């Protein structure tokens, strides 16, 4: 890990263990150009890649073609309105209504470690693990200063980027677009990989050819969303799991985003990411600054496996924080699919007694415990315990659960308000709404206006007050609808365009306050399942509910797409009842447990009502979790086969850091007649070591398992899963 400035050549070079990132300053006007991002090089004399010695040349040599220069130069941080007709990263509007802006290098600093981002989640590191480059540029005409931040890490092949905009003038101006990162490259006949979905089928992998024009994925729903994900990768045509080049971006943000790639008329590619400009307009007063969120950049020349490893290592070591950063999570049982709204103290305790006897470690009480909440059409905002359902109150229930040796957790949806609630009747102006327009309901609820301090304080005290009242050790923080009717009764007319971003900042403030007051709390984020599964949320909670679809077969594609970027330890995964409540499929209880093992592992069912043969299997699954979770949580993840591609079977592998053991998961989706065993090739082992297959006398070398492969017998029946544990001897 190093950052170097070569003064004579005016070149910046950032190195991670296996990659280099190079930029250069050119011409009298100090344009900052992107030179190279790829496999690590010692040589930095590659500024010819900016093509400044080719027509149209730099403006000092050919000012009559300044517009052509702007439209072809590989800008490190492109701006709008002066002649670059590709998509910009920065656009402003002055009080006079003018929109052009520019970036000219002024100075730089090289810092040890990594500064935090005010009000925003971000990766972190000390002076031994990373260095940061701060480049300052100006637009003197606009009175604007722009600071670009780049951090290079020593233990993973990642460069992070963020941007800060400062008003150095005497008049306000309006930010209408602020992206956080850009890569200008030559087209290598790329494919584009993104993650798409919907409720209950989040983060399915999509790969398509990158063509001319702009191709993007985005959300302006107020959250990162079920439908698209703040991730984009450009890959060369030959890219597989193990081979080919990958350029990837992931946004450390939980609100509106746009991730896009544009192929220009000259076969250049501009890849960029940032806050979605739809309904975004931020008024920046003199002396004020705006901090944009962080983008994580990964380059891999070892295919998708290399990319995944870099993301996983970064997030495990430099994003997730707190007590549960690297700690085994308690096995929980959630009552939602067991009871829905129909529960009492005694019903919950009956589930807890049985669950405790089977080795389950935590009871989580989901929706329906507060106000007059007997269905999902009322009472959000009235965070008062319903003692008709819970006689004796919350503390009595929690104490009784604790007596069983179990922890207790609780569900909240703090950002929402029901029209039928005491809170809404008292404060109708606390809901986001356009004055005079009939508000749009979703799930018969509105969204609280978190741009208002009194609303944020009310929400926090509601949640914190409940947590102070009893020994609650886990919170599931939900968000079941997206934002519409963008209007705040508090913000002035010329700041209404700030509402989306202020809302996200307030969510971060709430969760930051919560984790500071309750440092031992296990926080799990959720949004109708996986609609806010992003790095921004992982900064506050070490795990996120992956999807409301808990069917083991549906989860194969969901968890594959999620694990493409995020560690298995972050994925909320449960064993649920059958027929599955979302898709009606019946799968073996054993398979449900094995698939959920590739996540946080828990249960979502009424353990007092399931078949005895399933219930009897729970102690075995509990023991399986305790045996393998350290490996699942800490090990390196490899994708062996993809059900989403072959439509037959799924297979993944986890290898310990010292390569001393590996766990292979194989799921046969549909059986076929007269079919032989399958051969799979493992990854990540030590070729010189010998590995024994647990429970057998079989012993193989690492190189044989990786290069020649091993056979997995064809199970009898559909939806069958098995674990293969190997350890070095």
């Amino acid at each position: 890990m190093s950052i170097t400035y070569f003064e004579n050549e005016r070149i910046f070079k950032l190195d991670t263990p296996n990659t280099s990132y190079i930029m250069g300053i050119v011409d009298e006007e100090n344009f900052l150009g992107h030179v190279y991002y790829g496999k690590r090089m010692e040589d930095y004399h590659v500024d010819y890649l900016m093509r400044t010695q080719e027509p149209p040349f730099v403006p000092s040599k050919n000012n009559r073609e300044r517009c052509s220069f702007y439209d072809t130069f590989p800008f490190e941080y492109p701006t709008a309105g002066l002649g670059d007709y590709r998509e910009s990263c920065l656009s402003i509007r002055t009080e006079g209504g003018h929109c052009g802006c520019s970036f000219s290098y002024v100075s730089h600093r090289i810092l040890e470690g990594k500064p935090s981002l005010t009000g925003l989640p971000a990766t972190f590191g000390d002076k031994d693990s990373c260095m940061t480059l701060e480049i300052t540029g100006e637009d003197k005409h606009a009175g604007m200063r722009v600071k670009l931040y780049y951090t290079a890490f020593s233990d993973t092949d990642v460069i992070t980027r963020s941007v800060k905009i400062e008003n150095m003038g005497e008049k306000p101006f309006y930010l209408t677009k602020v992206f956080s990162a850009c890569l200008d490259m030559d087209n290598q006949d790329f494919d584009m990989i993104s993650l798409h979905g919907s409720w209950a089928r989040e983060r399915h992998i999509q790969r398509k050819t990158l063509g001319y024009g702009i191709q993007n994925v985005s959300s302006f729903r107020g959250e990162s969303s079920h439908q698209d994900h703040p991730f984009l990768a450009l890959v060369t045509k030959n890219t597989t799991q193990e081979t080919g080049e990958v350029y990837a971006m992931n946004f450390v943000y939980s609100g509106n985003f746009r991730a896009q790639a544009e192929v220009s008329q000259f076969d250049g590619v501009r890849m960029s990411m940032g806050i979605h400009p739809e309904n975004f307009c931020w008024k920046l007063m003199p002396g004020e600054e705006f901090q944009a969120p962080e983008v994580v950049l990964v380059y891999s020349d070892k295919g998708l496996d290399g990319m995944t490893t870099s993301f996983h290592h970064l997030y495990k070591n430099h994003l997730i924080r707190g007590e549960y950063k690297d700690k085994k999570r308690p096995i929980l049982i959630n009552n939602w699919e067991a009871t829905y709204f129909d529960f009492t103290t005694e019903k919950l305790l009956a589930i807890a007694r049985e669950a405790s006897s089977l080795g389950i470690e935590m009871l989580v009480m989901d929706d329906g415990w507060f106000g007059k909440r007997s269905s999902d059409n009322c009472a959000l905002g009235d965070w008062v315990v319903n003692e008709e359902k819970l006689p004796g109150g919350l503390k009595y229930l929690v104490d009784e659960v604790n007596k069983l040796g179990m922890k207790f957790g609780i569900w909240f949806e703090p950002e929402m308000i029901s029209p039928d609630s005491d809170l809404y009747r008292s404060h109708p102006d606390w809901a986001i709404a356009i004055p005079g327009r009939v508000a749009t309901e979703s799930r018969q609820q509105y969204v609280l206006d978190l741009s208002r301090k009194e609303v944020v304080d009310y929400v926090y005290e509601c949640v914190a007050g409940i947590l102070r009242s009893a020994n609650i050790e886990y919170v599931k923080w939900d968000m079941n609808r997206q934002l519409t009717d963008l209007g705040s009764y508090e913000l002035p007319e010329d700041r209404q365009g700030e509402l989306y971003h202020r809302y996200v900042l307030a969510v971060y403030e709430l969760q930051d306050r919560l984790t500071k007051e309750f440092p031992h709390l296990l926080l799990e984020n959720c949004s109708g399942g996986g609609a806010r599964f992003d790095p921004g949320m992982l900064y506050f909670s070490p795990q996120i509910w992956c999807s409301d679809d808990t069917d083991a077969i549906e989860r194969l594609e969901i968890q594959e797409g999620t694990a493409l970027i995020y560690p298995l330890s972050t994925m909320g995964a449960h064993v649920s009842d059958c027929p599955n409540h979302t898709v009606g499929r019946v799968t073996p209880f054993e398979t449900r447990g094995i698939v959920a093992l590739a996540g946080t592992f828990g249960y979502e069912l009424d353990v007092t009502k399931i078949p005895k043969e399933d219930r009897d299997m729970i102690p075995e699954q509990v023991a399986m979790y305790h045996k393998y979770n350290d490996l699942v949580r800490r090990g390196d993840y490899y994708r062996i086969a993809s059900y989403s591609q072959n439509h037959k079977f799924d297979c993944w592998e986890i290898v310990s850091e010292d390569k001393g053991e590996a766990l292979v998961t194989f799921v046969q989706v549909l059986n076929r007649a007269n079919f032989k065993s399958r051969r799979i090739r493992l990854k990540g082992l030590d070729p010189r070591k010998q590995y024994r297959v647990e429970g057998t006398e079989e012993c193989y070398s690492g190189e044989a398992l990786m290069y020649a492969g091993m056979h997995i017998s064809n199970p009898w029946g559909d939806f069958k899963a098995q674990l293969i544990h190997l350890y070095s001897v």
Side-chain angles (χ1 to χ4, degrees):
M1 167 267 301
S2 66
I3 296 176
T4 309
Y5 178 60
F6 300 95
E7 188 169 359
N8 291 337
E9 296 86 353
R10 301 210 294 174
I11 290 287
F12 295 99
K13 184 169 181 282
L14 295 79
D15 291 316
T16 70
N18 300 292
T19 69
S20 293
Y21 190 107
I22 302 175
M23 299 170 279
I25 305 163
V26 301
D27 203 41
E28 299 166 357
E29 297 180 45
N30 291 340
F31 299 106
L32 184 64
H34 181 71
V35 178
Y36 172 83
Y37 185 32
K39 194 169 182 176
R40 181 162 176 163
M41 301 192 306
E42 297 308 313
D43 189 2
Y44 59 90
H45 296 93
V46 288
D47 53 330
Y48 56 84
L49 294 173
M50 291 186 285
R51 294 189 173 94
T52 55
Q53 303 307 313
E54 301 176 18
F57 305 109
V58 293
S60 64
K61 294 182 179 179
N62 185 20
N63 198 42
R64 72 182 299 275
E65 293 297 343
R66 175 181 286 267
C67 188
S68 295
F69 169 79
Y70 280 138
D71 205 27
T72 58
F73 185 70
F75 284 105
E76 190 63 29
Y77 193 68
T79 56
L82 300 181
D84 185 349
Y85 295 103
R86 297 162 293 177
E87 279 280 315
S88 66
C89 282
L90 179 63
S91 180
I92 70 170
R93 188 179 72 246
T94 67
E95 279 195 318
H98 303 126
C99 297
C101 60
S102 64
F103 177 96
S104 295
Y105 166 85
V106 174
S107 63
H108 71 272
R109 296 191 299 161
I110 297 175
L111 311 170
E112 293 185 330
K114 186 174 187 295
S116 59
L117 304 188
T118 304
L120 286 166
T123 56
F124 54 82
D126 59 22
K127 65 180 181 179
D128 296 322
S129 62
C130 61
M131 294 178 69
T132 299
L133 170 64
E134 176 194 82
I135 298 179
T136 298
E138 287 184 357
D139 181 338
K140 293 182 178 179
H141 185 273
M144 178 176 65
R145 178 181 294 162
V146 179
K147 291 185 177 181
L148 309 180
Y149 293 91
Y150 302 76
T151 297
F153 288 84
S154 63
D155 55 356
T156 188
D157 289 312
V158 166
I159 302 286
T160 63
R161 290 187 56 176
S162 62
V163 179
K164 184 187 291 183
I165 313 295
E166 301 177 9
N167 186 341
M168 306 302 295
E170 298 178 354
K171 296 181 180 180
F173 57 78
Y174 297 86
L175 300 171
T176 56
K177 183 181 184 182
V178 184
F179 277 15
S180 298
C182 174
L183 280 176
D184 271 358
M185 307 177 287
D186 284 356
N187 193 4
Q188 300 181 53
D189 195 19
F190 286 121
D191 283 350
M192 178 174 124
I193 295 178
S194 60
L195 301 175
H196 72 92
S198 185
W199 175 78
R201 46 183 171 86
E202 298 90 341
R203 290 174 301 286
H204 286 208
I205 298 171
Q206 176 176 257
R207 180 169 177 168
K208 61 184 181 182
T209 299
L210 185 68
Y212 287 99
I214 298 170
Q215 294 109 100
N216 71 60
V217 293
S218 65
S219 169
F220 48 89
R221 298 167 180 266
E223 61 178 0
S224 41
S225 85
H226 297 97
Q227 290 73 21
D228 283 310
H229 196 74
F231 162 81
L232 194 67
L234 300 184
V235 302
T236 48
K237 284 292 183 188
N238 66 334
T239 296
T240 65
Q241 286 294 141
E242 302 89 7
T243 63
E245 291 187 276
V246 181
Y247 298 86
M249 291 183 177
N250 196 198
F251 202 23
V252 188
Y253 189 61
S254 309
N256 295 350
F257 75 90
R258 190 158 76 194
Q260 63 187 30
E262 177 183 7
V263 181
S264 74
Q265 59 183 321
F266 303 111
D267 276 338
V269 173
R270 175 167 288 175
M271 184 184 187
S272 55
M273 179 175 281
I275 295 173
H276 202 300
E278 180 84 10
N279 290 327
F280 173 82
C281 183
W282 192 276
K283 185 177 183 180
L284 203 62
M285 298 295 291
E288 290 184 345
E289 58 187 35
F290 178 87
Q291 175 66 63
E294 182 172 73
V295 168
V296 176
L297 278 70
V298 169
Y299 168 81
S300 165
D301 67 338
K302 295 180 175 59
L304 295 174
D305 281 343
M307 177 201 75
T308 294
T309 297
S310 292
F311 276 124
H312 283 204
H313 284 186
L314 181 79
Y315 293 154
K316 284 193 281 190
N317 299 317
H318 299 286
L319 181 68
I320 299 170
R321 308 172 300 156
E323 182 173 315
Y324 285 93
K325 180 178 186 291
D326 182 29
K327 182 179 178 181
K328 188 184 292 184
R329 320 285 162 73
I331 300 173
L332 65 83
I333 185 166
N334 186 297
N335 76 299
W336 178 241
E337 289 189 11
T339 67
Y340 293 99
F341 292 100
D342 183 19
F343 63 84
T344 61
T345 295
E346 190 47 48
K347 187 178 287 190
L348 293 177
L349 288 176
I351 292 173
R353 291 185 194 103
E354 185 66 28
S356 175
S357 72
L358 298 170
I360 296 172
E361 301 163 316
M362 177 187 286
L363 175 73
V364 175
M365 179 173 63
D366 211 282
D367 194 357
W369 57 267
F370 55 93
K372 298 177 180 178
R373 185 80 163 173
S374 56
S375 68
D376 63 3
N377 61 8
C378 65
L380 287 172
D382 299 341
W383 300 105
V384 178
V385 176
N386 182 337
E387 296 205 21
E388 292 182 10
K389 282 187 176 183
L390 305 177
L394 183 60
K395 189 174 188 308
Y396 170 77
L397 171 61
V398 175
D399 288 347
E400 291 300 304
V401 170
N402 288 165
K403 288 176 185 177
L404 297 170
M406 297 181 75
K407 299 176 185 292
F408 186 87
I410 196 168
W411 175 96
F412 284 97
E413 193 172 4
E415 303 163 53
M416 300 295 149
I417 182 171
S418 299
D420 181 9
S421 67
D422 293 339
L423 181 63
Y424 187 76
R425 285 184 280 272
S426 299
H427 298 284
D429 60 314
W430 281 15
I432 290 175
I434 299 172
R437 181 178 288 277
V438 176
T440 302
E441 292 186 8
S442 178
R443 212 169 177 261
Q444 205 164 342
Q445 60 195 62
Y446 302 140
V447 183
L448 284 167
D449 181 1
L450 297 182
S451 71
R452 302 176 64 164
K453 184 180 185 304
E454 67 269 33
V455 178
V456 171
D457 289 343
Y458 171 84
V459 168
Y460 182 76
E461 283 306 315
C462 285
V463 175
I466 292 293
L467 297 186
R468 295 179 195 124
S469 72
N471 184 31
I472 298 169
E473 299 179 72
Y474 163 101
V475 163
K476 181 180 178 183
W477 182 302
D478 209 345
M479 178 197 186
N480 276 310
R481 69 151 290 178
Q482 295 156 337
L483 276 61
T484 60
D485 308 273
L486 265 289
S488 168
Y489 287 92
E490 181 83 0
L491 291 173
E493 291 179 3
D494 60 352
R495 289 189 179 271
Q496 290 290 323
E498 301 176 11
L499 180 54
Y500 266 135
H501 186 57
R502 288 186 180 275
Y503 180 90
V504 179
L505 293 178
V507 172
Y508 292 152
E509 178 192 339
L510 284 166
Q511 296 199 3
D512 187 54
R513 289 168 65 179
L514 194 70
T515 53
K516 284 177 178 174
E517 182 175 351
F518 304 96
H520 304 298
L521 184 74
L522 174 55
L523 178 63
E524 178 166 342
N525 268 289
C526 172
S527 181
R532 207 155 61 180
F533 200 120
D534 57 65
M537 290 287 94
L538 286 181
Y539 184 75
F540 301 100
S541 64
Q543 61 193 54
I544 302 173
W545 185 228
C546 198
S547 176
D548 279 347
D549 191 340
T550 55
D551 172 72
I553 305 306
E554 293 293 308
R555 273 297 184 107
L556 296 179
E557 289 190 73
I558 295 169
Q559 293 181 190
E560 178 188 358
T562 307
L564 187 67
I565 316 170
Y566 303 105
L568 302 189
S569 63
T570 66
M571 301 193 306
H574 292 172
V575 179
S576 61
D577 203 1
C578 279
N580 179 265
H581 291 204
T582 303
V583 297
R585 184 180 285 117
V586 176
T587 56
F589 199 79
E590 180 182 23
T591 298
R592 287 175 257 163
I594 288 174
V595 173
L597 184 67
T600 56
F601 195 78
Y603 292 88
E604 188 103 10
L605 41 73
D606 188 340
V607 73
T608 68
K609 294 181 178 179
I610 61 174
K612 182 178 184 300
E613 57 268 28
D614 291 351
R615 186 164 55 248
D616 290 346
M617 204 178 296
I618 290 177
E620 299 174 22
Q621 293 182 340
V622 167
M624 174 183 71
Y625 168 80
H626 287 300
K627 180 177 181 179
Y628 295 127
N629 183 253
D630 283 349
L631 175 58
V632 171
R633 196 175 69 253
R634 297 172 180 164
D636 291 330
Y637 163 89
Y638 296 94
R639 173 56 51 176
I640 305 297
S642 169
Y643 167 61
S644 66
Q645 294 179 22
N646 65 43
H647 308 295
K648 299 170 186 174
F649 71 103
D650 214 36
C651 188
W652 62 90
E653 177 192 15
I654 304 151
V655 181
S656 63
E657 187 176 0
D658 65 1
K659 302 186 184 300
E661 63 173 330
L663 185 67
V664 179
T665 304
F666 177 88
V667 182
Q668 176 175 276
V669 178
L670 294 177
N671 197 9
R672 293 188 291 169
N674 194 26
F675 193 75
K676 294 183 178 180
S677 60
R678 295 191 186 277
R679 182 167 61 166
I680 62 168
R681 291 179 174 88
L682 303 189
K683 302 178 183 179
L685 304 178
D686 185 334
R688 297 175 301 278
K689 287 184 176 180
Q690 293 289 317
Y691 292 89
R692 186 178 300 281
V693 179
E694 185 179 18
T696 75
E697 295 302 314
E698 299 173 30
C699 195
Y700 308 95
S701 69
E703 62 180 359
L705 291 167
M706 291 191 292
Y707 309 149
M710 67 182 298
H711 287 139
I712 295 182
S713 60
N714 185 34
W716 189 77
D718 296 335
F719 315 134
K720 293 298 180 69
Q722 58 181 293
L723 293 175
I724 302 166
H725 183 223
L726 302 103
Y727 56 94
S728 63
V729 293

